[in-house]
Amino acid sequence: MPSRRTFLTTTAATFAGIAAASPLTALARAARPLGQNQYFDWTDLGRGLHVASGGAVGGGGNALLIVGDGEAALIDAKLCGLGPTLRREAESRLGDDARLTHLISTHHHGDHIGGNPSFGDVTRVGHSNLNPRVMPQIDRLRDTAASIARRVAGADAGVPVAMRNDIDAMLEDAKSFIAADFEMTQTLRDELELEVGGVRLQLRHAGPGHTDNDVFIFLPDHNVLHTGDLFFNKLHPYMDIGAGATSRGWQQSLLNCIQRCDGETVVVPGHGEISNRDGLGEQVKYFDEMRRIIRFARDVESMTRDEVTKLQPGRFAEYGNERLLTMNLGAIYDELADEKKQ
């Protein structure tokens, strides 16, 4: 019987040389200008598309601004407390003839809907399972705003004056935020197509994945896909078991994403660097490999669940979000155990 040491070494060797998820494509390598009053790191994808990421004291999921003819849409609004800054910086990219008309939320987590109260005057679109999941986290959403304010106050660098002013103006209002401030005003079950300023946006829900309300958005005229948290690029993903996450359901959602891609598609993940179709494939492999590791540990080396959760597979040595590895090993172990009972 192979030893645990042999198992881990073999795991690393088996996957040595597999290409990492593709880095920024040539299109997405556009300059990221950092103005004096800019907090987020903005990547210009061309043709009116801009990705907001980064943030010296925290940010949240990658947001995509889509500027069309006279109208604009934003996908995801980051952490509570950052909405005013995100909106100000996004609107600075609209020009004089466009206005923000739509906000699309890819799912209910606070690092994606936290900024929603700053967009109360636009149509907010998301899955029908999203709204019921807002109220149970309302206190945490409010607390995040206060946490962001403390971090901004204590930051020596990376926080422009304009953002400090945004936080000061928002903080008192944040104490009275209610669920409706974060909820959707238009929902979908399976799919929905929008047109914003002449730009087509195809929204799709492919069943439970990262949560039970994940929506990915494809822009066919731009060949750009925003996955929300269905894709964590070179990061251990967060499996929200309480919200319906399963590794197999997640993979099915990813395969639906991949079906919409070709070799030139720019893929904006929920977290991590901009990628492409190959990056999505790596996320599919992540779950395949996690299941293989767990089956071997359980069935060949007779490891208990606790022992499995302590594994450090060499395959994922360079992945970020290390704290989530233990959680994912346990979650997938339980998923496989339930399948075995059936």
Side-chain angles (χ1 to χ4, degrees):
M1 179 181 297
S3 69
R4 177 172 172 176
R5 179 184 298 274
T6 300
F7 166 61
L8 294 177
T9 302
T10 302
T11 298
T14 299
F15 287 88
I18 290 181
S22 177
L24 295 176
T25 64
L27 176 63
R29 287 185 185 276
R32 299 174 174 178
L34 294 173
Q36 184 178 6
N37 285 324
Q38 180 170 284
Y39 175 70
F40 294 109
D41 187 355
W42 287 89
T43 300
D44 182 2
L45 301 184
R47 300 178 62 195
L49 303 185
H50 311 267
V51 178
S53 58
V57 301
N62 293 326
L64 175 62
L65 175 66
I66 303 154
V67 184
D69 184 11
E71 297 180 324
L74 183 69
I75 301 176
D76 283 342
K78 297 189 173 288
L79 291 162
C80 192
L82 299 178
T85 298
L86 178 62
R87 179 156 191 173
R88 176 176 52 76
E89 294 187 7
E91 289 184 334
S92 73
R93 286 160 173 76
L94 299 186
D96 296 332
D97 299 326
R99 65 185 181 88
L100 198 63
T101 59
H102 291 76
L103 173 68
I104 299 168
S105 295
T106 59
H107 63 293
H108 73 281
H109 286 158
D111 56 333
H112 297 262
I113 67 166
N116 285 15
S118 296
F119 301 88
D121 59 332
V122 309
T123 300
R124 299 199 299 255
V125 186
H127 192 264
S128 55
N129 288 342
L130 188 155
N131 286 355
R133 294 199 175 278
V134 173
M135 180 57 77
Q137 61 174 333
I138 190 68
D139 289 338
R140 186 164 65 251
L141 289 165
R142 295 193 199 107
D143 290 345
T144 298
S147 175
I148 290 289
R150 289 193 296 271
R151 284 184 247 167
V152 167
D156 295 328
V159 179
V161 173
M163 183 188 181
R164 296 182 189 275
N165 294 337
D166 291 337
I167 294 289
D168 290 343
M170 172 278 308
L171 195 53
E172 193 62 33
D173 290 340
K175 296 176 183 177
S176 58
F177 284 160
I178 60 174
D181 294 322
F182 301 91
E183 291 174 347
M184 304 298 97
T185 58
Q186 181 179 356
T187 61
L188 67 142
R189 285 297 302 174
D190 298 315
E191 55 187 66
L192 174 69
E193 181 156 335
L194 301 173
E195 186 171 308
V196 178
V199 180
R200 289 186 297 154
L201 289 77
Q202 297 173 347
L203 285 65
R204 177 72 187 274
H205 170 71
H210 164 64
T211 70
D212 65 356
N213 58 98
D214 299 293
V215 172
F216 60 86
I217 303 94
F218 183 60
L219 281 60
D221 300 325
H222 295 72
N223 201 11
V224 171
L225 175 72
H226 193 303
T227 66
D229 278 3
L230 289 170
F231 181 25
F232 284 68
N233 189 11
K234 305 308 288 183
L235 302 166
H236 291 287
Y238 170 50
M239 298 185 67
D240 191 344
I241 303 303
T246 69
S247 69
R248 295 195 188 278
W250 198 323
Q251 284 180 306
Q252 186 57 54
S253 293
L254 286 165
L255 292 173
N256 273 270
C257 289
I258 290 171
Q259 288 175 359
R260 283 154 180 77
C261 298
D262 59 29
E264 301 300 319
T265 305
V266 175
V267 179
V268 180
H271 298 273
E273 291 190 352
I274 297 166
S275 187
N276 59 16
R277 182 179 60 189
D278 291 342
L280 294 172
E282 283 297 308
Q283 182 94 64
V284 174
K285 292 176 186 177
Y286 175 91
F287 293 113
D288 283 337
E289 175 60 3
M290 287 285 277
R291 285 196 295 267
R292 191 191 73 81
I293 289 169
I294 293 165
R295 285 196 188 98
F296 188 97
R298 181 194 65 190
D299 299 339
V300 177
E301 296 209 332
S302 302
M303 289 186 186
T304 66
R305 185 186 189 278
D306 285 346
E307 289 174 327
V308 167
T309 62
K310 293 180 174 64
L311 292 173
Q312 295 291 322
R315 165 69 169 93
F316 306 119
E318 296 182 358
Y319 271 49
N321 284 353
E322 297 89 346
R323 70 191 185 283
L324 295 179
L325 174 59
T326 293
M327 182 187 301
N328 292 347
L329 286 165
I332 298 174
Y333 183 101
D334 293 339
E335 184 179 333
L336 291 175
D338 288 342
E339 291 176 359
K340 199 170 184 179
K341 294 174 185 177
Q342 296 174 2

mmCIF file of all heavy atoms in Angstrom, residues 82-121:
data_model
loop_
_atom_site.group_PDB
_atom_site.id
_atom_site.type_symbol
_atom_site.label_atom_id
_atom_site.label_comp_id
_atom_site.label_asym_id
_atom_site.label_seq_id
_atom_site.Cartn_x
_atom_site.Cartn_y
_atom_site.Cartn_z
ATOM 1 N N LEU A 82 -17.922 50.145 -0.249
ATOM 2 C CA LEU A 82 -17.164 50.525 -1.434
ATOM 3 C C LEU A 82 -18.051 50.973 -2.589
ATOM 4 O O LEU A 82 -17.552 51.423 -3.619
ATOM 5 C CB LEU A 82 -16.286 49.356 -1.896
ATOM 6 C CG LEU A 82 -15.235 48.875 -0.906
ATOM 7 C CD1 LEU A 82 -14.468 47.690 -1.480
ATOM 8 C CD2 LEU A 82 -14.273 49.995 -0.539
ATOM 9 N N GLY A 83 -19.373 50.857 -2.414
ATOM 10 C CA GLY A 83 -20.289 51.219 -3.485
ATOM 11 C C GLY A 83 -20.138 52.644 -3.988
ATOM 12 O O GLY A 83 -20.089 52.881 -5.205
ATOM 13 N N PRO A 84 -20.067 53.635 -3.086
ATOM 14 C CA PRO A 84 -19.929 55.016 -3.573
ATOM 15 C C PRO A 84 -18.668 55.231 -4.394
ATOM 16 O O PRO A 84 -18.696 55.923 -5.423
ATOM 17 C CB PRO A 84 -19.898 55.840 -2.276
ATOM 18 C CG PRO A 84 -20.611 55.002 -1.272
ATOM 19 C CD PRO A 84 -20.248 53.588 -1.613
ATOM 20 N N THR A 85 -17.561 54.647 -3.961
ATOM 21 C CA THR A 85 -16.304 54.795 -4.702
ATOM 22 C C THR A 85 -16.383 54.083 -6.046
ATOM 23 O O THR A 85 -15.949 54.618 -7.075
ATOM 24 C CB THR A 85 -15.136 54.243 -3.874
ATOM 25 O OG1 THR A 85 -15.020 54.997 -2.664
ATOM 26 C CG2 THR A 85 -13.830 54.327 -4.641
ATOM 27 N N LEU A 86 -16.933 52.866 -6.046
ATOM 28 C CA LEU A 86 -17.067 52.130 -7.301
ATOM 29 C C LEU A 86 -17.929 52.902 -8.285
ATOM 30 O O LEU A 86 -17.584 53.024 -9.469
ATOM 31 C CB LEU A 86 -17.678 50.751 -7.033
ATOM 32 C CG LEU A 86 -17.923 49.888 -8.272
ATOM 33 C CD1 LEU A 86 -16.618 49.570 -8.987
ATOM 34 C CD2 LEU A 86 -18.659 48.597 -7.892
ATOM 35 N N ARG A 87 -19.044 53.445 -7.814
ATOM 36 C CA ARG A 87 -19.923 54.170 -8.730
ATOM 37 C C ARG A 87 -19.242 55.425 -9.263
ATOM 38 O O ARG A 87 -19.316 55.719 -10.459
ATOM 39 C CB ARG A 87 -21.236 54.528 -8.041
ATOM 40 C CG ARG A 87 -22.165 55.296 -8.974
ATOM 41 C CD ARG A 87 -23.610 55.194 -8.634
ATOM 42 N NE ARG A 87 -24.427 55.736 -9.696
ATOM 43 C CZ ARG A 87 -25.740 55.660 -9.746
ATOM 44 N NH1 ARG A 87 -26.408 55.003 -8.791
ATOM 45 N NH2 ARG A 87 -26.430 56.179 -10.748
ATOM 46 N N ARG A 88 -18.576 56.158 -8.402
ATOM 47 C CA ARG A 88 -17.912 57.387 -8.854
ATOM 48 C C ARG A 88 -16.857 57.074 -9.897
ATOM 49 O O ARG A 88 -16.781 57.742 -10.942
ATOM 50 C CB ARG A 88 -17.287 58.111 -7.652
ATOM 51 C CG ARG A 88 -16.488 59.346 -8.022
ATOM 52 C CD ARG A 88 -15.982 60.074 -6.782
ATOM 53 N NE ARG A 88 -15.284 59.194 -5.870
ATOM 54 C CZ ARG A 88 -14.042 58.738 -6.047
ATOM 55 N NH1 ARG A 88 -13.361 59.077 -7.131
ATOM 56 N NH2 ARG A 88 -13.475 57.952 -5.146
ATOM 57 N N GLU A 89 -16.049 56.042 -9.637
ATOM 58 C CA GLU A 89 -14.992 55.715 -10.595
ATOM 59 C C GLU A 89 -15.562 55.130 -11.888
ATOM 60 O O GLU A 89 -15.022 55.376 -12.975
ATOM 61 C CB GLU A 89 -13.999 54.752 -9.944
ATOM 62 C CG GLU A 89 -13.235 55.394 -8.797
ATOM 63 C CD GLU A 89 -12.118 54.515 -8.245
ATOM 64 O OE1 GLU A 89 -11.845 53.443 -8.847
ATOM 65 O OE2 GLU A 89 -11.523 54.902 -7.223
ATOM 66 N N ALA A 90 -16.640 54.352 -11.767
ATOM 67 C CA ALA A 90 -17.266 53.811 -12.975
ATOM 68 C C ALA A 90 -17.858 54.934 -13.822
ATOM 69 O O ALA A 90 -17.662 54.976 -15.051
ATOM 70 C CB ALA A 90 -18.357 52.803 -12.592
ATOM 71 N N GLU A 91 -18.557 55.846 -13.193
ATOM 72 C CA GLU A 91 -19.200 56.918 -13.956
ATOM 73 C C GLU A 91 -18.195 57.866 -14.588
ATOM 74 O O GLU A 91 -18.496 58.511 -15.590
ATOM 75 C CB GLU A 91 -20.188 57.669 -13.065
ATOM 76 C CG GLU A 91 -21.417 56.828 -12.741
ATOM 77 C CD GLU A 91 -22.466 57.578 -11.942
ATOM 78 O OE1 GLU A 91 -22.086 58.546 -11.220
ATOM 79 O OE2 GLU A 91 -23.655 57.195 -12.023
ATOM 80 N N SER A 92 -16.998 57.928 -14.049
ATOM 81 C CA SER A 92 -15.967 58.756 -14.670
ATOM 82 C C SER A 92 -15.536 58.179 -16.017
ATOM 83 O O SER A 92 -14.886 58.877 -16.810
ATOM 84 C CB SER A 92 -14.754 58.879 -13.743
ATOM 85 O OG SER A 92 -14.010 57.656 -13.695
ATOM 86 N N ARG A 93 -15.923 56.932 -16.285
ATOM 87 C CA ARG A 93 -15.575 56.280 -17.542
ATOM 88 C C ARG A 93 -16.726 56.267 -18.543
ATOM 89 O O ARG A 93 -16.598 55.689 -19.629
ATOM 90 C CB ARG A 93 -15.118 54.833 -17.262
ATOM 91 C CG ARG A 93 -13.738 54.805 -16.644
ATOM 92 C CD ARG A 93 -13.421 53.524 -15.929
ATOM 93 N NE ARG A 93 -12.014 53.549 -15.524
ATOM 94 C CZ ARG A 93 -11.528 54.253 -14.504
ATOM 95 N NH1 ARG A 93 -12.344 54.969 -13.748
ATOM 96 N NH2 ARG A 93 -10.236 54.251 -14.226
ATOM 97 N N LEU A 94 -17.844 56.875 -18.204
ATOM 98 C CA LEU A 94 -19.011 56.821 -19.073
ATOM 99 C C LEU A 94 -18.998 57.870 -20.178
ATOM 100 O O LEU A 94 -19.637 57.690 -21.210
ATOM 101 C CB LEU A 94 -20.299 56.998 -18.244
ATOM 102 C CG LEU A 94 -20.576 55.959 -17.168
ATOM 103 C CD1 LEU A 94 -21.954 56.205 -16.569
ATOM 104 C CD2 LEU A 94 -20.479 54.549 -17.721
ATOM 105 N N GLY A 95 -18.320 58.955 -19.973
ATOM 106 C CA GLY A 95 -18.419 60.051 -20.933
ATOM 107 C C GLY A 95 -19.666 60.867 -20.653
ATOM 108 O O GLY A 95 -20.469 60.569 -19.757
ATOM 109 N N ASP A 96 -19.885 61.894 -21.438
ATOM 110 C CA ASP A 96 -20.984 62.829 -21.178
ATOM 111 C C ASP A 96 -22.332 62.315 -21.649
ATOM 112 O O ASP A 96 -23.375 62.810 -21.202
ATOM 113 C CB ASP A 96 -20.696 64.173 -21.874
ATOM 114 C CG ASP A 96 -19.458 64.856 -21.321
ATOM 115 O OD1 ASP A 96 -19.148 64.627 -20.139
ATOM 116 O OD2 ASP A 96 -18.811 65.601 -22.078
ATOM 117 N N ASP A 97 -22.344 61.309 -22.527
ATOM 118 C CA ASP A 97 -23.601 60.921 -23.172
ATOM 119 C C ASP A 97 -24.213 59.644 -22.631
ATOM 120 O O ASP A 97 -25.270 59.214 -23.095
ATOM 121 C CB ASP A 97 -23.374 60.753 -24.686
ATOM 122 C CG ASP A 97 -22.905 62.046 -25.341
ATOM 123 O OD1 ASP A 97 -23.344 63.124 -24.882
ATOM 124 O OD2 ASP A 97 -22.099 61.977 -26.279
ATOM 125 N N ALA A 98 -23.576 58.985 -21.656
ATOM 126 C CA ALA A 98 -24.093 57.717 -21.146
ATOM 127 C C ALA A 98 -24.421 57.831 -19.665
ATOM 128 O O ALA A 98 -23.840 58.640 -18.936
ATOM 129 C CB ALA A 98 -23.066 56.604 -21.366
ATOM 130 N N ARG A 99 -25.387 57.011 -19.246
ATOM 131 C CA ARG A 99 -25.733 56.943 -17.827
ATOM 132 C C ARG A 99 -25.854 55.482 -17.431
ATOM 133 O O ARG A 99 -26.168 54.610 -18.246
ATOM 134 C CB ARG A 99 -27.038 57.687 -17.548
ATOM 135 C CG ARG A 99 -28.252 57.078 -18.215
ATOM 136 C CD ARG A 99 -29.494 57.927 -18.013
ATOM 137 N NE ARG A 99 -30.653 57.314 -18.635
ATOM 138 C CZ ARG A 99 -31.461 56.423 -18.042
ATOM 139 N NH1 ARG A 99 -31.203 56.065 -16.791
ATOM 140 N NH2 ARG A 99 -32.487 55.910 -18.679
ATOM 141 N N LEU A 100 -25.599 55.219 -16.163
ATOM 142 C CA LEU A 100 -25.690 53.864 -15.647
ATOM 143 C C LEU A 100 -27.158 53.484 -15.487
ATOM 144 O O LEU A 100 -27.919 54.184 -14.804
ATOM 145 C CB LEU A 100 -24.963 53.781 -14.303
ATOM 146 C CG LEU A 100 -24.584 52.400 -13.805
ATOM 147 C CD1 LEU A 100 -23.599 51.723 -14.749
ATOM 148 C CD2 LEU A 100 -23.989 52.495 -12.409
ATOM 149 N N THR A 101 -27.569 52.390 -16.128
ATOM 150 C CA THR A 101 -28.975 51.987 -16.103
ATOM 151 C C THR A 101 -29.210 50.617 -15.472
ATOM 152 O O THR A 101 -30.328 50.323 -15.053
ATOM 153 C CB THR A 101 -29.557 51.956 -17.526
ATOM 154 O OG1 THR A 101 -28.802 51.038 -18.336
ATOM 155 C CG2 THR A 101 -29.522 53.349 -18.152
ATOM 156 N N HIS A 102 -28.180 49.762 -15.416
ATOM 157 C CA HIS A 102 -28.356 48.400 -14.914
ATOM 158 C C HIS A 102 -27.188 47.996 -14.002
ATOM 159 O O HIS A 102 -26.039 48.328 -14.282
ATOM 160 C CB HIS A 102 -28.431 47.385 -16.068
ATOM 161 C CG HIS A 102 -29.666 47.490 -16.885
ATOM 162 N ND1 HIS A 102 -29.869 48.479 -17.818
ATOM 163 C CD2 HIS A 102 -30.781 46.697 -16.917
ATOM 164 C CE1 HIS A 102 -31.045 48.315 -18.399
ATOM 165 N NE2 HIS A 102 -31.613 47.246 -17.870
ATOM 166 N N LEU A 103 -27.527 47.265 -12.949
ATOM 167 C CA LEU A 103 -26.546 46.579 -12.112
ATOM 168 C C LEU A 103 -26.922 45.105 -12.086
ATOM 169 O O LEU A 103 -28.064 44.762 -11.747
ATOM 170 C CB LEU A 103 -26.544 47.135 -10.691
ATOM 171 C CG LEU A 103 -25.666 46.387 -9.686
ATOM 172 C CD1 LEU A 103 -24.190 46.562 -10.019
ATOM 173 C CD2 LEU A 103 -25.948 46.847 -8.256
ATOM 174 N N ILE A 104 -25.994 44.242 -12.455
ATOM 175 C CA ILE A 104 -26.234 42.799 -12.443
ATOM 176 C C ILE A 104 -25.429 42.192 -11.302
ATOM 177 O O ILE A 104 -24.227 42.428 -11.186
ATOM 178 C CB ILE A 104 -25.816 42.160 -13.783
ATOM 179 C CG1 ILE A 104 -26.638 42.761 -14.928
ATOM 180 C CG2 ILE A 104 -25.987 40.637 -13.734
ATOM 181 C CD1 ILE A 104 -26.108 42.420 -16.298
ATOM 182 N N SER A 105 -26.093 41.424 -10.458
ATOM 183 C CA SER A 105 -25.420 40.743 -9.347
ATOM 184 C C SER A 105 -25.281 39.270 -9.692
ATOM 185 O O SER A 105 -26.278 38.585 -9.954
ATOM 186 C CB SER A 105 -26.212 40.906 -8.048
ATOM 187 O OG SER A 105 -26.252 42.262 -7.652
ATOM 188 N N THR A 106 -24.055 38.764 -9.684
ATOM 189 C CA THR A 106 -23.826 37.371 -10.082
ATOM 190 C C THR A 106 -24.288 36.378 -9.027
ATOM 191 O O THR A 106 -24.578 35.227 -9.354
ATOM 192 C CB THR A 106 -22.342 37.124 -10.389
ATOM 193 O OG1 THR A 106 -21.556 37.423 -9.224
ATOM 194 C CG2 THR A 106 -21.873 37.974 -11.564
ATOM 195 N N HIS A 107 -24.364 36.786 -7.752
ATOM 196 C CA HIS A 107 -24.878 35.940 -6.679
ATOM 197 C C HIS A 107 -24.946 36.778 -5.410
ATOM 198 O O HIS A 107 -24.635 37.971 -5.428
ATOM 199 C CB HIS A 107 -24.010 34.691 -6.481
ATOM 200 C CG HIS A 107 -22.602 34.960 -6.059
ATOM 201 N ND1 HIS A 107 -21.687 35.574 -6.876
ATOM 202 C CD2 HIS A 107 -21.943 34.700 -4.887
ATOM 203 C CE1 HIS A 107 -20.539 35.697 -6.245
ATOM 204 N NE2 HIS A 107 -20.663 35.168 -5.039
ATOM 205 N N HIS A 108 -25.366 36.172 -4.298
ATOM 206 C CA HIS A 108 -25.754 36.937 -3.118
ATOM 207 C C HIS A 108 -24.630 37.284 -2.148
ATOM 208 O O HIS A 108 -24.875 37.998 -1.169
ATOM 209 C CB HIS A 108 -26.820 36.156 -2.326
ATOM 210 C CG HIS A 108 -26.274 34.957 -1.589
ATOM 211 N ND1 HIS A 108 -25.997 33.757 -2.213
ATOM 212 C CD2 HIS A 108 -25.954 34.766 -0.278
ATOM 213 C CE1 HIS A 108 -25.545 32.880 -1.335
ATOM 214 N NE2 HIS A 108 -25.501 33.470 -0.144
ATOM 215 N N HIS A 109 -23.434 36.824 -2.355
ATOM 216 C CA HIS A 109 -22.380 37.054 -1.363
ATOM 217 C C HIS A 109 -22.036 38.535 -1.230
ATOM 218 O O HIS A 109 -22.062 39.289 -2.203
ATOM 219 C CB HIS A 109 -21.128 36.248 -1.716
ATOM 220 C CG HIS A 109 -21.292 34.784 -1.449
ATOM 221 N ND1 HIS A 109 -20.527 33.830 -2.075
ATOM 222 C CD2 HIS A 109 -22.136 34.116 -0.613
ATOM 223 C CE1 HIS A 109 -20.900 32.629 -1.629
ATOM 224 N NE2 HIS A 109 -21.865 32.777 -0.748
ATOM 225 N N GLY A 110 -21.649 38.902 -0.002
ATOM 226 C CA GLY A 110 -21.468 40.307 0.327
ATOM 227 C C GLY A 110 -20.367 41.013 -0.430
ATOM 228 O O GLY A 110 -20.393 42.240 -0.565
ATOM 229 N N ASP A 111 -19.374 40.260 -0.940
ATOM 230 C CA ASP A 111 -18.315 40.913 -1.700
ATOM 231 C C ASP A 111 -18.718 41.162 -3.151
ATOM 232 O O ASP A 111 -17.916 41.637 -3.949
ATOM 233 C CB ASP A 111 -17.015 40.108 -1.632
ATOM 234 C CG ASP A 111 -17.168 38.667 -2.099
ATOM 235 O OD1 ASP A 111 -18.282 38.118 -1.993
ATOM 236 O OD2 ASP A 111 -16.168 38.085 -2.564
ATOM 237 N N HIS A 112 -19.987 40.865 -3.468
ATOM 238 C CA HIS A 112 -20.523 41.119 -4.814
ATOM 239 C C HIS A 112 -21.769 42.005 -4.780
ATOM 240 O O HIS A 112 -22.021 42.729 -5.743
ATOM 241 C CB HIS A 112 -20.835 39.800 -5.516
ATOM 242 C CG HIS A 112 -19.616 38.957 -5.734
ATOM 243 N ND1 HIS A 112 -18.923 38.924 -6.921
ATOM 244 C CD2 HIS A 112 -18.939 38.130 -4.892
ATOM 245 C CE1 HIS A 112 -17.873 38.115 -6.812
ATOM 246 N NE2 HIS A 112 -17.865 37.627 -5.576
ATOM 247 N N ILE A 113 -22.550 41.932 -3.705
ATOM 248 C CA ILE A 113 -23.752 42.784 -3.604
ATOM 249 C C ILE A 113 -23.587 43.888 -2.567
ATOM 250 O O ILE A 113 -24.480 44.720 -2.394
ATOM 251 C CB ILE A 113 -25.016 41.972 -3.269
ATOM 252 C CG1 ILE A 113 -24.944 41.382 -1.845
ATOM 253 C CG2 ILE A 113 -25.264 40.904 -4.313
ATOM 254 C CD1 ILE A 113 -26.272 40.871 -1.333
ATOM 255 N N GLY A 114 -22.459 43.934 -1.868
ATOM 256 C CA GLY A 114 -22.291 44.898 -0.781
ATOM 257 C C GLY A 114 -22.476 46.343 -1.207
ATOM 258 O O GLY A 114 -22.997 47.159 -0.448
ATOM 259 N N GLY A 115 -22.057 46.670 -2.418
ATOM 260 C CA GLY A 115 -22.181 48.045 -2.891
ATOM 261 C C GLY A 115 -23.524 48.383 -3.490
ATOM 262 O O GLY A 115 -23.744 49.534 -3.925
ATOM 263 N N ASN A 116 -24.461 47.437 -3.512
ATOM 264 C CA ASN A 116 -25.752 47.664 -4.174
ATOM 265 C C ASN A 116 -26.524 48.894 -3.702
ATOM 266 O O ASN A 116 -27.205 49.542 -4.508
ATOM 267 C CB ASN A 116 -26.638 46.426 -4.036
ATOM 268 C CG ASN A 116 -26.221 45.294 -4.956
ATOM 269 O OD1 ASN A 116 -25.118 45.316 -5.505
ATOM 270 N ND2 ASN A 116 -27.077 44.300 -5.113
ATOM 271 N N PRO A 117 -26.477 49.269 -2.408
ATOM 272 C CA PRO A 117 -27.243 50.461 -2.006
ATOM 273 C C PRO A 117 -26.856 51.728 -2.748
ATOM 274 O O PRO A 117 -27.644 52.682 -2.794
ATOM 275 C CB PRO A 117 -26.922 50.567 -0.506
ATOM 276 C CG PRO A 117 -26.645 49.174 -0.085
ATOM 277 C CD PRO A 117 -25.912 48.566 -1.235
ATOM 278 N N SER A 118 -25.678 51.766 -3.325
ATOM 279 C CA SER A 118 -25.259 52.951 -4.081
ATOM 280 C C SER A 118 -25.846 52.975 -5.486
ATOM 281 O O SER A 118 -25.592 53.922 -6.250
ATOM 282 C CB SER A 118 -23.731 53.001 -4.176
ATOM 283 O OG SER A 118 -23.157 53.154 -2.893
ATOM 284 N N PHE A 119 -26.653 51.949 -5.811
ATOM 285 C CA PHE A 119 -27.232 51.853 -7.145
ATOM 286 C C PHE A 119 -28.748 51.692 -7.072
ATOM 287 O O PHE A 119 -29.355 50.965 -7.856
ATOM 288 C CB PHE A 119 -26.600 50.676 -7.896
ATOM 289 C CG PHE A 119 -25.105 50.790 -8.046
ATOM 290 C CD1 PHE A 119 -24.251 50.299 -7.050
ATOM 291 C CD2 PHE A 119 -24.543 51.406 -9.146
ATOM 292 C CE1 PHE A 119 -22.876 50.411 -7.172
ATOM 293 C CE2 PHE A 119 -23.167 51.534 -9.270
ATOM 294 C CZ PHE A 119 -22.326 51.033 -8.287
ATOM 295 N N GLY A 120 -29.349 52.418 -6.123
ATOM 296 C CA GLY A 120 -30.783 52.305 -5.917
ATOM 297 C C GLY A 120 -31.626 52.879 -7.039
ATOM 298 O O GLY A 120 -32.828 52.603 -7.113
ATOM 299 N N ASP A 121 -31.046 53.649 -7.918
ATOM 300 C CA ASP A 121 -31.796 54.287 -9.001
ATOM 301 C C ASP A 121 -31.670 53.553 -10.327
ATOM 302 O O ASP A 121 -32.139 54.044 -11.353
ATOM 303 C CB ASP A 121 -31.308 55.723 -9.184
ATOM 304 C CG ASP A 121 -29.819 55.804 -9.504
ATOM 305 O OD1 ASP A 121 -29.082 54.899 -9.087
ATOM 306 O OD2 ASP A 121 -29.397 56.780 -10.158
#
